[in-house]
Structure formats: C-alpha cells, structure tokens
Amino acid sequence: MPELPEVETLRRGLERHLRHRRIIAAEVMGPRTIRRHEPDKLHNFLVGNLVSACGRHGKYLIVSMENGVNMVIHLRMTGRLEIVRPPFLGDAKHLHARFILDNGSELLFFDPRTFGEIFISEKTAGKGLPEELSSLGPDSLSQDFTLGYFTKVAKKREVAVKGLLLEQETVAGIGNIYGDEICHEAGVLPMKKASLLTDGELSRLHKAVGGILSKAVEHKGSTLSDKKYLDITGSEGTYQYHHKVYSKAGMPCESCGDTIVRTKVTGRSCHYCPTCQK
Ligand SMILES: [Zn+2]
C-alpha cells in the first residue's frame, strides 16, 4: 500500500498538473470506487470548477475546488493515478474513474482490487481537513506531530511500537515499509511495548519518523518488485534501494553484519536487526 512518501509524491504531481485547471468532465466506470455516495455527485460538484489546491493528510489526497468542496482520494492496496494526454493507449481494464481537464489532459484512476476510493467532501472540520478525516492523528511530517504528543500517547499504550506507528488515529501516513525502517533507524525493536519506551528511545523514534519519511519523499517513494506504485507520470520511486531492513530477511545488516530477521508484529510482517535494535 502506498504510504506517506508515495502519496506525497503523487500530491506533488497532482499539484503540477491539476492546480488552476478546470475539470470539464468526470466519468465513473467503477461504481465501487465511489461508494460513499451516488457516483453522480462527482460530476455535479466537480465539472465546471477550478482546482485551487492539492493537499494531503497521511495517506489521503485532498483535491480542493474553488467552490469549497474537496475531492478525497485513498489508493488503499492497488489504486493508481496517472495523468495522460489522450489518446490513452494503455490497458484500461481496471480504469474506474476519469477526469478530463480544460487543457486536454486526463487524470485516470486505476484499481485492480477496488479497495481504493474517491469521494466528495462538503464539510471541513478542524484545520480545514475534510470532516471524514477528522479521526486521523496528525500527519507524520507536520508540525503537529511533536515529541511531546508522541511521548504522551506512547506512555499510555501497551501495544507494540511498530503497531503504534501504524495506527492512523495516532499518527497518519506510516505503513509497513516505513514502520520497519523507522524502528531500525531509531535502534528500537519493533515488538517493544510502547509504554516501556525510554525518553531517549521515544526521542530517537520521533526523529526517525521525520528523517526516514523526508528522505523517502526526496527519492519519490519506494517502488517494489510488484511495480504497484508508480508516480503520476508512470515513473518509479527509488527509495527501495535505500531500505535497510524491509523485505531483507536473511540478508546481512548494512550497519553491523548480523542477519536481518522477519517476524510478525500485531499481525503484520516485520523486519529488524537483532543487534542494532534493542
Ligand atoms: Zn544491524
């Protein structure tokens, strides 16, 4: 599933291609993608309107329109966005939605497994976020995700630290890949109970969240061997070449030479170095 760095890379692509453009048509081919409301709502609220900004919170993309509504997009497992100049000559088999812009280019939404979704949000809650996203924690790369906040939340929780990092209600944007990489960077075992973390460990974890995610954004995210994640123009990210533990079970740790171990933590696969992480 795309995580913050991949979604941020897509946001930057949307900003470049959609901002100040007018949407002249919105077509829905896959009704499951638009499942929170009638598919027609997409057409009714978007067509004829200008895109004023392209934002993000955690793994959600937020396309803001000049009429005050937001189009919210979540890719889930296999959703993919692509900007094209027609005619589109690729495989349209899993094409579920299409947005035509006033400059002739088109934004396409593909999703083989159909877990992804798009919806129109008419109301905003605190900090201008769409109301539907109000249960999410602060974005992992925002000023709101402070060490003080993270410490306060972690001290109260009996969950494994990797599980805590993946809870979108606690901090939004981290998934399985970056959860492993953050724990390794901080030198903390992913299965360690959050409430038992020392102040030093909490500080290292908080710093690693910002450090790892920012570096991954610079590399335009991680494209794994399944090629499920590509940016809006179809290019691969390169952060997969900088992973230290994720998907490296049985390989030597770059820092200490010990063998990377794979296990399960809160039901998810998890990779760590038994020497570097305590
Ligand atoms: Zn190591």
Side-chain angles (χ1 to χ4, degrees), residues 58 105 129 134 185 203 234 242 258:
S105 60
L129 267 190
S134 57
E185 173 78 8
S203 169
H242 302 273
D258 199 358

Side-chain angles (χ1 to χ4, degrees), residues 28-37 39 96:
V28 177
M29 299 80 159
R32 207 179 115 71
T33 297
I34 324 292
R35 54 184 173 270
R36 292 204 192 199
H37 51 63
H96 296 312

Side-chain angles (χ1 to χ4, degrees), residues 67-232:
N67 61 355
V69 306
N70 289 305
M71 172 167 68
V72 182
I73 306 172
H74 198 301
L75 302 170
R76 302 281 172 202
M77 304 291 288
T78 55
R80 189 167 66 77
L81 288 166
E82 191 174 342
I83 194 101
V84 296
R85 279 272 176 187
F88 172 65
L89 301 172
D91 184 0
K93 192 172 164 199
H94 300 293
L95 177 60
H96 296 312
R98 183 163 84 119
F99 305 90
I100 304 176
L101 307 177
D102 58 358
N103 63 352
S105 60
E106 298 185 0
L107 177 69
L108 308 178
F109 180 81
F110 298 89
D111 192 3
R113 296 186 64 184
T114 70
F115 292 120
E117 68 165 331
I118 301 177
F119 62 89
I120 295 291
S121 173
E122 295 177 69
K123 289 189 185 149
T124 53
K127 302 212 170 194
L129 267 190
E131 194 180 40
E132 294 83 350
L133 308 187
S134 57
S135 66
L136 294 176
D139 183 80
S140 316
L141 279 184
S142 73
Q143 303 287 333
D144 297 334
F145 180 60
T146 61
L147 175 59
Y149 164 82
F150 184 51
T151 302
K152 199 172 144 205
V153 174
K155 295 270 188 205
K156 285 189 283 198
R157 299 294 308 277
E158 300 298 302
V159 68
V161 57
K162 167 93 183 277
L164 187 70
L165 290 171
L166 264 58
E167 273 181 14
Q168 303 303 299
E169 297 76 20
T170 297
V171 53
I174 302 167
N176 217 27
I177 297 175
Y178 299 103
D180 282 357
E181 295 298 322
I182 288 163
C183 288
H184 182 262
E185 173 78 8
V188 173
L189 282 171
M191 59 288 266
K192 193 160 193 174
K193 225 185 247 184
S195 62
L196 299 179
L197 292 167
T198 64
D199 287 345
E201 287 169 334
L202 284 162
S203 169
R204 294 206 307 274
L205 279 163
H206 179 261
K207 194 171 165 218
V209 168
I212 292 285
L213 294 177
S214 303
K215 241 184 279 171
V217 169
E218 277 171 37
H219 287 88
K220 300 183 176 175
S222 302
T223 299
L224 306 181
S225 55
D226 59 19
K227 308 280 185 223
K228 273 183 194 149
Y229 163 72
L230 299 170
D231 77 6
I232 206 159

